[in-house]
Amino acid sequence: MAESQGFSEPVDLAEIGIRSIHGVPGDYNLEALDYVEPAGLLWVGNCNELNAGYAADGYARIKGISAVVTKSGVGELSALNAVAGAYSEYIPMIHIVGTPPTVAQANNMHLEHTLSNGDQKVFETIARQVTCAVAVLDGSRDAAASVDEVIAHCLIQSRPVYIALPVDMVERKVEGRRLKTQIDIPVPATDQEMEEHAVGLILGLLQMAKAPAVLVDAGAFRRKSLEEVHAFLQKFPLPAFVSPMGKGAVDESLSNFKGVYAGRSSDPSIQEYFKSVDLLLHIGSIKSDSTTAWFDPKPAPHAATVKIPVNDEAIQINQSNFPGVQLVGLLRKLIDRGDMPIRNIQSQPAINGKSTDAGRETLDSVIEHRWLWPRLSKWLQEGDVVITETGTANYGIRETTFPSKIRAICQPLWSSIGYATAACQGVALAARELGIERTILLTGEGSFQVSGQELRFIHGMDAHYNDVQPWKYADLCHVYGGERITMAYKIETKAQMERLLSDPEFATGRQLRFVEVYMRQDDAPVALINAVKAM
């Protein structure tokens, strides 16, 4: 029995939990797209390849993996920024590229969308720099096995992969039973002896620590260890912090949650506590300039450190490496032995890293950042998905306290302006597939316009190239034909915002709600001001 290979990839994607595929149709991929809907998948055609890549990135952050389809050359290069961002931030994305026929490639023909030099491998070479695995389905080896192999790499390494699908290979036959074979996802091996040694050392450090801190980073999401992190923090009620990329990884209703730590851009009370920390347990570590206030040094000169990286590199305890120790297994063993007393921990000092009301101010005054972000704390609901754009919103959200089970999406490491609006489409779609009611996007007008086909570079408040042409944002819903299923609002005062956030219909309605908020140009979140001062 044989089946068309055209069914192979869609079936594989459905098997790993993908229900929707993003992309842009074009030369060399149309034949493959004919098999998407028959396989029970939803095709999402985006307005351009960059937005498709961003949307796939957002989808993967909710569902655990995603797929984006482009055509070769011009299409895949347009998506490359999004793919590179996914690689930078450890997002598992499958990039499927429709390519010219194998005969044309073998003969180095000068085809459209090529560099007119006969080099048919150049785009594959570029893709190898921002993916963890590549499969070229040119008939040189079993196509189905190649696809399964790169998908396994995508899931294990939590990074993008690249599949080149020549147009003449879509109809090639594969064995029908091959389509029913599940993808083998090997579990990373654990060095039991090394793990035991690491557990003993960490428990010993915890027993001796007087001022410990647990810092949870984005790796907790990427390595699917949130359940273990939460159980660990309940078993060991140590002062817990999140990095800017780790926002949402810790239940902020826990009494031992203390706020966001980002080096010198942190709340002053958090900075002061970290000066005395004698043990730092950094879970899912991803260090970058934007999340550490330009590589702020470790908390105290002689603090003991336990660093568990986002990838499968060795866990580091002080200066010693422990290869073969996995995050989930390590936390489970620590939890199992959590009845061991931690004797020396001092009473936790007052840390004011959680958001508080800015005071009962006149509600008809202009909206300020120091008022807006704490106010959102009361409006957010358990289970919401919150997306913040690179820049102001990423800093402002640090002052918002999340209810339980919030999923936070941001891209502070790659920091591609315009990411959040396009990613929101993929996030909202994935959330809907999981039965999640609300997806909330917080962005600025400049970033919003990037996703609306304009590229801007921002530097310096008064620079002419930072000028943003004012759009009639509230009218966009009508422009795009959504007047019957959308509600648009213009908010200029705190009183208007209070009425909006107190409106049950606004909080629970199922239609798109587009809110345009007016604020002073020279206002900014406290964390952003602190970060600039620290430069």
Side-chain angles (χ1 to χ4, degrees), residues 357 359-364 367 371-372 374-376 378-379 491 493-504 506:
D357 288 333
R360 301 186 63 83
E361 304 176 28
T362 305
L363 290 181
D364 59 359
I367 297 172
W371 177 87
L372 174 65
R375 178 60 184 85
L376 288 176
K378 298 179 179 179
W379 181 74
I491 303 297
T493 67
K494 295 173 184 175
Q496 292 174 336
M497 180 64 82
E498 280 288 354
R499 285 196 295 271
L500 185 68
L501 297 181
S502 301
D503 182 354
F506 174 74

Side-chain angles (χ1 to χ4, degrees), residues 216 220-221 226-234 238-242 246-259 354 382-383 400-407:
V216 182
F221 295 114
L226 294 185
E227 183 178 340
E228 287 75 18
V229 169
H230 293 167
F232 175 81
L233 291 176
Q234 289 178 318
L238 308 169
F241 304 82
V242 292
K247 179 77 171 169
V250 173
D251 184 348
E252 299 188 11
S253 66
L254 292 175
S255 60
N256 52 318
F257 175 72
K258 301 301 180 182
K354 294 185 179 182
E382 181 175 309
T400 303
T401 299
F402 286 167
S404 299
K405 300 179 182 178
I406 289 282
R407 300 193 187 201

Side-chain angles (χ1 to χ4, degrees), residues 77-188:
L77 292 184
S78 292
L80 191 64
N81 179 14
V83 175
Y87 185 88
S88 172
E89 300 215 350
Y90 292 88
I91 304 301
M93 177 195 301
I94 303 169
H95 185 192
I96 303 169
V97 180
T99 63
T102 53
V103 173
Q105 294 190 54
N107 292 327
N108 295 322
M109 298 176 66
H110 291 197
L111 306 173
E112 64 174 346
H113 310 321
T114 70
L115 300 181
S116 70
N117 61 359
D119 185 355
Q120 301 288 345
K121 298 290 186 181
V122 61
F123 304 124
E124 173 194 333
T125 301
I126 293 172
R128 289 184 183 277
Q129 310 308 308
V130 292
T131 58
C132 67
V134 170
V136 179
L137 309 184
D138 56 6
S140 60
R141 58 172 301 198
D142 180 77
S146 296
V147 170
D148 288 1
E149 184 179 303
V150 296
I151 289 177
H153 279 290
C154 184
L155 289 167
I156 293 169
Q157 299 186 45
S158 191
R159 274 182 156 162
V161 295
Y162 178 93
I163 299 175
L165 177 59
V167 64
D168 59 321
M169 294 295 292
V170 173
E171 298 290 343
R172 286 289 184 94
K173 305 294 182 179
V174 296
E175 289 297 325
R177 65 174 179 270
R178 183 66 187 79
L179 303 180
K180 299 178 175 63
T181 303
Q182 289 192 340
I183 299 174
D184 181 27
I185 311 296
V187 178

Side-chain angles (χ1 to χ4, degrees), residues 158-387:
S158 191
R159 274 182 156 162
V161 295
Y162 178 93
I163 299 175
L165 177 59
V167 64
D168 59 321
M169 294 295 292
V170 173
E171 298 290 343
R172 286 289 184 94
K173 305 294 182 179
V174 296
E175 289 297 325
R177 65 174 179 270
R178 183 66 187 79
L179 303 180
K180 299 178 175 63
T181 303
Q182 289 192 340
I183 299 174
D184 181 27
I185 311 296
V187 178
T190 297
D191 186 323
Q192 297 293 338
E193 183 178 349
M194 196 69 72
E195 184 182 67
E196 285 292 331
H197 190 192
V199 168
L201 284 176
I202 293 171
L203 289 175
L205 291 172
L206 287 171
Q207 285 186 316
M208 293 186 294
K210 295 183 178 180
V214 178
L215 178 60
V216 182
D217 214 329
F221 295 114
R222 310 298 187 260
R223 297 182 70 173
K224 299 177 177 59
S225 60
L226 294 185
E227 183 178 340
E228 287 75 18
V229 169
H230 293 167
F232 175 81
L233 291 176
Q234 289 178 318
K235 199 79 168 184
F236 296 87
L238 308 169
F241 304 82
V242 292
S243 72
M245 288 183 72
K247 179 77 171 169
V250 173
D251 184 348
E252 299 188 11
S253 66
L254 292 175
S255 60
N256 52 318
F257 175 72
K258 301 301 180 182
V260 179
Y261 177 67
R264 288 169 288 176
S265 65
S266 308
D267 182 90
S269 63
I270 293 178
Q271 292 187 58
E272 193 62 30
Y273 178 69
F274 265 74
K275 291 177 182 178
S276 66
V277 164
D278 59 2
L279 171 61
L280 174 63
L281 179 59
H282 194 171
I283 298 175
S285 170
I286 299 181
K287 283 196 170 182
S288 75
D289 55 352
S290 60
T291 62
T292 61
W294 298 274
F295 303 104
D296 215 10
K298 66 181 182 178
H302 303 295
T305 57
V306 178
K307 297 179 183 178
I308 307 174
V310 61
N311 50 30
D312 286 329
E313 293 179 359
I315 289 174
Q316 188 178 59
I317 301 178
N318 292 328
Q319 302 303 315
S320 299
N321 291 326
F322 292 78
V325 179
Q326 307 302 323
L327 171 58
V328 171
L330 177 69
L331 290 178
R332 286 176 179 171
K333 283 202 171 180
L334 290 170
I335 293 165
D336 289 342
R337 302 181 187 180
D339 55 346
M340 298 183 69
I342 303 174
R343 302 183 180 88
N344 300 324
I345 296 179
Q346 300 170 346
S347 58
Q348 296 183 12
I351 302 174
N352 190 29
K354 294 185 179 182
S355 66
T356 56
D357 288 333
R360 301 186 63 83
E361 304 176 28
T362 305
L363 290 181
D364 59 359
S365 61
V366 67
I367 297 172
E368 297 170 313
H369 283 283
R370 68 188 184 94
W371 177 87
L372 174 65
W373 300 103
R375 178 60 184 85
L376 288 176
S377 303
K378 298 179 179 179
W379 181 74
L380 292 176
Q381 298 176 4
E382 181 175 309
D384 284 345
V385 181
V386 180
I387 312 169

Side-chain angles (χ1 to χ4, degrees), residues 50 54 81-82 85 389-390 411-420 447 450:
L50 178 58
Y54 286 154
N81 179 14
E389 178 56 85
T390 295
Q411 198 200 44
L413 180 51
W414 186 244
S415 288
S416 186
I417 294 173
Y419 159 83
S447 295
V450 171

